[in-house]
Amino acid sequence: MRFSDALTHAYLFAGAAGTGKTDAAHKLACRIVCPDCAADTRTCPTCRRIARGLHPDVITLEPEGGEYLIEQIRDLIYRTSLAPIEASAKVYLITDADRFTDQAANAFLKTLEEPPTRVTFILFAHSAGAVIETIRSRCQVVRFVPKPESEMIAELIRETGCDAADARAALAATGSVFADAKQFLTSVARQNTRAEVVRIYQDLPAMTDHEVVAAVKRLQEIIAGPVKELKDAHVLDSKDAADFLVGAALKELEKTHARRERAYERRCYVEVCAVLESLLRDALCRGSGAGALARNDDVRDDSIGRTPAITPGSAARCFAAIRQARWRLGANVNAQLTLEVLLLNLRKECLWRKLPV
């Protein structure tokens, strides 16, 4: 399908994490910018690049410092006036649309209402009602509801060939975001990161302050693995693009890659929080006799000589600490310091008691 009047200029995809907003946005972007959109998006090279965040004309914008800055929006407005780099149209994916300040929203309104030709905006928010009304009213709102976990597990098994236990662990590690879980299952580096978080979690009660700091540094080194995977993909993408891009267009692609790498690194740290949260939830389930609800089937605490001893009050404080860490990461607070504070706070709650040998 070519760019036509069948499409509107701006959409607001509203729904909780894991409801398929990103996947739907990528498929819509494929329809807009991909000349072979009639092909299977799983095998089409252009569509695969869009899904991986590598297409130069499908640009993702995220808030800096916890909210959208006026400088970001001015840069966005300028870039919308530029011609597409590779395709015949451009798509802007704007995350966390509920984080516009009044000043940033006012700067964005005219461009949102009357964008340059062949530009489409897709905004994301957990709730349409949380988005500033002047922005919401200029978008076609599309609401998403969560898929049942059993359906997501079946789909992950079908699309990646994993087993049910791996699918549950992937969903737990990514906050039940299907697209992220699918990528997780194909990334050895991200699986290694999860394995290290599990190890830290299990050893945390016996760690000294110095060992906690060392563990965070080791975790940062491992997180560099998934980030390197993306950088390597960007290098290959830039080499391919160099065949038909020159000058300013190639520099703009490199800037886009750098933004995506920073955003991806931040998501990797947020994923650490998701893994810790899922492990704590499992401990609470097992400690209350609801072990069947545990999602990390490969982490059986009794097999390593420990048994869950977390109370609801302790769990509530742990979950609050994780929420605070997520907020700090979203606000670009130093990641190493944020994780150190988080682990020290979790250690206070005595998550495990050692069983007699």
Side-chain angles (χ1 to χ4, degrees):
M1 182 173 73
R2 296 187 180 278
F3 199 94
S4 71
D5 293 337
L7 295 171
T8 188
H9 66 284
Y11 297 87
L12 173 58
F13 285 5
T19 52
K21 300 190 301 294
T22 301
D23 189 46
H26 285 161
K27 289 179 180 177
L28 178 57
C30 287
R31 293 292 180 178
I32 294 171
V33 307
C34 179
D36 301 316
C37 60
D40 187 341
T41 58
R42 291 172 296 181
T43 58
C44 170
T46 300
C47 293
R48 290 177 65 185
R49 288 170 62 207
I50 290 171
R52 292 166 59 200
L54 297 177
H55 198 289
D57 294 316
V58 181
I59 302 101
T60 299
L61 190 68
E62 297 184 327
E64 295 181 6
E67 61 186 15
Y68 282 103
L69 307 177
I70 185 67
E71 292 79 8
Q72 279 185 279
I73 302 306
R74 287 171 179 161
D75 180 62
L76 169 66
I77 293 170
Y78 167 72
R79 287 191 285 129
T80 59
S81 67
L82 302 177
I85 293 175
E86 180 180 318
S88 61
K90 293 196 293 184
V91 177
Y92 288 87
L93 308 178
I94 301 178
T95 69
D96 301 308
D98 55 339
R99 296 189 183 182
F100 274 90
T101 63
D102 290 340
Q103 187 181 25
N106 289 335
F108 185 43
L109 287 180
K110 184 172 177 57
T111 300
L112 178 63
E113 189 170 27
E114 300 175 3
T117 304
R118 299 178 183 272
V119 171
T120 300
F121 296 107
I122 304 176
L123 287 70
F124 301 86
H126 286 281
S127 167
V131 179
I132 293 175
E133 196 277 333
T134 50
I135 288 181
R136 185 176 68 249
S137 64
R138 287 164 171 79
C139 301
Q140 179 173 320
V141 179
V142 182
R143 290 180 169 81
F144 290 76
V145 296
K147 287 183 180 179
E149 182 169 289
S150 58
E151 185 177 326
M152 288 193 285
I153 289 173
E155 198 167 341
L156 286 172
I157 293 172
R158 183 171 63 252
E159 294 191 13
T160 69
C162 70
D163 60 26
D166 287 341
R168 279 192 291 272
L171 288 169
T174 57
S176 294
V177 177
F178 179 84
D180 285 351
K182 184 177 176 181
Q183 291 174 359
F184 176 92
L185 288 166
T186 60
S187 171
V188 173
R190 285 175 70 178
Q191 293 172 40
N192 288 341
T193 300
R194 174 185 176 272
E196 181 64 15
V197 174
V198 170
R199 191 198 66 77
I200 292 172
Y201 167 79
Q202 292 172 333
D203 292 342
L204 186 58
M207 283 185 178
T208 64
D209 290 356
H210 176 75
E211 288 171 335
V212 168
V213 172
V216 171
K217 289 181 179 179
R218 186 169 60 252
L219 188 57
Q220 286 184 295
E221 293 172 357
I222 295 174
I223 285 176
V227 177
K228 184 178 185 301
E229 286 183 9
L230 181 61
K231 288 182 177 179
D232 290 344
H234 282 165
V235 169
L236 294 175
D237 193 55
S238 295
K239 287 180 180 178
D240 292 339
D243 293 336
F244 53 87
L245 295 181
V246 294
L250 194 56
K251 288 183 179 179
E252 183 64 26
L253 178 61
E254 291 171 354
K255 289 181 181 178
T256 299
H257 285 167
R259 285 193 297 270
R260 288 171 178 162
E261 287 160 12
R262 289 193 297 271
Y264 184 69
E265 183 176 29
R266 186 164 59 251
R267 283 198 293 272
C268 286
Y269 283 111
V270 172
E271 195 165 285
V272 170
C273 295
V275 173
L276 287 169
E277 190 171 55
S278 71
L279 292 169
L280 285 163
R281 177 186 175 279
D282 285 1
L284 189 59
C285 289
R286 291 180 179 128
S288 60
L293 298 177
R295 304 176 77 192
N296 296 281
D297 295 343
D298 60 328
V299 182
R300 294 295 181 183
D301 308 290
D302 52 357
S303 67
I304 58 170
R306 299 179 179 93
T307 187
I310 191 169
T311 66
S314 179
R317 290 188 290 273
C318 289
F319 293 142
I322 291 173
R323 285 195 300 272
Q324 181 72 356
R326 278 200 177 105
W327 181 88
R328 287 172 174 165
L329 291 169
N332 286 329
V333 175
N334 181 274
Q336 179 178 342
L337 179 60
T338 297
L339 290 184
E340 288 173 1
V341 171
L342 172 60
L343 292 179
L344 291 171
N345 283 334
L346 296 185
R347 191 187 60 178
K348 288 180 185 177
E349 299 302 325
C350 299
L351 305 180
W352 308 99
R353 65 171 180 267
K354 192 78 173 180
L355 289 175
V357 177

